[in-house]
Amino acid sequence: MKGAVLYGPRDVRFEEREEPKIVEPTDAILRISLTCVCGSDLWPYRGLQPIGGPTPMGHEYCGVVDALGPGVPGPEVGTPVACAGRQGYAEHAVLGADRVYPLPAGVPVEQAALQTRARRGRCPASACARQAGITTCSRNSNCRGSRKKWVSLVQ
């Protein structure tokens, strides 16, 4: 699988990355549809924030659930979702199920990704959750505070 990796200021390489695997029972594997460019992606790219070595890029993305760990009750494989995780500039990503949010019914991943970046800089997971009245993280927290279980946004 190809993925974008930041090696240093203005040094992004598209290279072969390991295919994601379910490690924890609460992991989900996603097929990434679209990834947003966040300001915090640009800080290390511009050399304004140091990195400790090669770093997979992209943490605001939308996609489709491809596989679930045995401890994840849902959503089902094939569900479109918004995510707050790592390795968003790749074909697939693995992350904890608490960082994945089903999109509202009828909202395609392409529309969700574009709308969420236009909504005052909120990441897809945060914006989708807020549309349903669920507080997950603050605008500038990079979603570090989000540790919720699966949240169904379709009610």
Side-chain angles (χ1 to χ4, degrees):
M1 160 187 91
K2 292 277 190 184
V5 179
L6 180 67
Y7 279 81
R10 304 191 189 285
D11 183 5
V12 177
R13 303 175 197 176
F14 291 92
E15 59 189 26
E16 283 298 320
R17 306 283 299 161
E18 185 177 326
E19 287 289 334
K21 297 177 181 93
I22 300 283
V23 176
E24 300 293 326
T26 55
D27 282 348
I29 294 178
L30 309 167
R31 182 177 65 246
I32 297 172
S33 300
L34 288 170
T35 301
C36 302
V37 176
C38 178
S40 62
D41 291 323
L42 299 176
W43 299 334
Y45 173 79
R46 293 177 177 150
L48 302 174
Q49 178 181 18
I51 59 172
T55 305
M57 293 188 70
H59 61 268
E60 297 180 358
Y61 48 92
C62 294
V64 177
V65 176
D66 260 5
L68 296 170
V72 181
E76 297 178 11
V77 169
T79 301
V81 293
C83 311
R86 291 205 172 270
Q87 197 170 313
Y89 298 130
E91 298 170 45
H92 292 88
V94 63
L95 66 159
D98 62 340
R99 309 287 284 219
V100 179
Y101 302 89
L103 296 180
V107 176
V109 291
E110 296 83 2
Q111 182 180 352
L114 293 173
Q115 283 183 331
T116 55
R117 287 312 304 158
R119 297 192 68 202
R120 290 175 253 125
R122 294 179 178 157
C123 69
S126 176
C128 287
R130 282 188 180 119
Q131 285 176 358
I134 300 161
T135 302
T136 57
C137 56
S138 68
R139 180 176 173 204
N140 294 315
S141 71
N142 292 330
C143 296
R144 287 186 198 111
S146 177
R147 293 284 182 260
K148 298 192 180 298
K149 302 272 187 219
W150 281 98
V151 178
S152 175
L153 300 181
V154 181
Q155 300 186 14

